[in-house]
Amino acid sequence: MNYSLEPLGDQAILIEFSQEVNEGIHEQVQGVKDRIEERRYDWAIEVVPAFASIAVHYDIRKLLTCQSPYDLVAKELSLLLDSKNTFTKKASREIKIPVFYGGKAGPDLEEVAAHNGISAEEVVELHTKAEYTVYMLGFAPGFPYVGGLNEKLATPRKSKPRLQIPAGSVGIAGQQTGVYPIETPGGWQLIGQTPEALFRPMNEEEPTLLQAGDKIRFYAISEEEFYERQERNR
């Protein structure tokens, strides 16, 4: 396995793999993350996967010896990574996300369609037809960076970002799609909105609907159903 270890501040270590964004590297990242969590190291606070790296945050109070905390963690992780273990990730969860496309919920749907020389209906059809992979969460609490977008839907970000995007907005930026979990500024092309809450801070066990490694399928709902579900979820 090709990897490197680097300090990330004074209480974390970064495991970096081949710097590519693809399913193979994603499987490797998730597999290693799962094995680290299974080991239940008493010094490990949090294991955070990204596209091609993993940040392992550790408690230096549990690593107070004559050797530096970083060196101790690096040694433990190297033993794991250099072992003959297989790093197959756990089975993915499948999450279905309802979306009301177009209108006020998706003000850029027509722009995405025009950019790609297809109709708005085809945008919706292609967007709901694919299965997506959550590579990582970032930017905002619970914001999923998702791979698997049909190349016919790829559209550049807005040249001028919006100052306010409603929570649940579904967007496209380049070759990725994603969902804004909270109200925030942003430059993605908005094609719809989901009534589902992606960020749920009152749920201590699962504060985010999605996790890295999840599989997603979007499906279209009517405007009436969108508002009904939005009201129920409040």
Side-chain angles (χ1 to χ4, degrees):
M1 177 183 294
N2 295 321
Y3 72 90
S4 63
L5 301 176
E6 298 289 343
L8 188 64
D10 60 355
Q11 296 185 62
I13 186 169
L14 186 68
I15 308 172
E16 289 192 298
F17 303 96
S18 298
Q19 294 301 292
E20 303 172 43
V21 179
N22 58 50
E23 280 286 337
I25 297 298
H26 168 73
E27 294 277 337
Q28 190 175 62
V29 167
Q30 290 299 312
V32 171
K33 177 191 78 74
D34 292 341
R35 296 297 85 73
I36 294 173
E37 291 177 340
E38 287 173 2
R39 288 294 182 97
R40 298 184 181 276
Y41 296 110
D42 63 354
W43 42 259
I45 298 174
E46 188 175 10
V47 183
V48 184
F51 282 109
S53 63
I54 303 172
V56 181
H57 297 262
Y58 52 82
D59 186 347
I60 59 174
R61 294 172 299 180
K62 296 183 178 179
L63 295 163
L64 296 177
T65 68
C66 58
Q67 194 173 4
S68 78
Y70 172 82
D71 288 340
L72 285 170
V73 173
K75 181 180 179 180
E76 290 281 356
L77 293 177
S78 293
L79 287 172
L80 174 64
L81 291 163
D82 293 337
S83 69
K84 294 182 179 179
N85 292 338
T86 56
F87 294 100
T88 304
K89 74 166 196 164
K90 296 176 182 176
S92 300
R93 301 188 308 167
E94 294 186 355
I95 311 292
K96 293 184 178 181
I97 299 179
V99 180
F100 169 46
Y101 290 93
K104 292 181 179 179
D108 301 320
L109 178 62
E110 295 290 347
E111 185 173 336
V112 170
H115 176 81
N116 290 286
I118 58 179
S119 68
E121 290 75 18
E122 287 176 293
V123 171
V124 175
E125 180 182 358
L126 291 172
H127 194 258
T128 55
K129 188 176 181 179
E131 180 182 68
Y132 302 92
T133 299
V134 179
Y135 279 93
M136 62 174 283
L137 302 182
F139 167 64
F143 186 98
Y145 284 87
V146 178
L149 183 71
N150 190 302
E151 61 182 14
K152 294 180 180 179
L153 298 180
T155 309
R157 286 176 170 82
K158 290 281 193 189
S159 58
K160 183 178 180 181
R162 290 182 172 90
L163 297 178
Q164 192 174 39
I165 291 178
S169 293
V170 178
I172 289 175
Q175 296 183 348
Q176 292 190 44
T177 186
V179 186
Y180 285 87
I182 59 175
E183 185 178 286
T184 177
W188 289 40
Q189 305 283 354
L190 306 183
I191 62 172
Q193 189 175 1
T194 179
E196 297 297 315
L198 270 70
F199 180 50
R200 306 169 294 183
M202 301 307 293
N203 187 331
E204 294 184 3
E205 293 186 3
E206 291 190 341
T208 60
L209 174 65
L210 300 173
Q211 301 172 10
D214 286 345
K215 299 293 186 181
I216 298 176
R217 282 194 179 275
F218 296 102
Y219 66 96
I221 59 174
S222 67
E223 182 176 11
E224 182 181 6
E225 186 176 357
F226 168 78
Y227 286 114
E228 287 177 356
R229 289 192 180 210
Q230 192 178 56
E231 189 63 32
R232 288 201 304 266
N233 291 335
R234 284 180 178 173

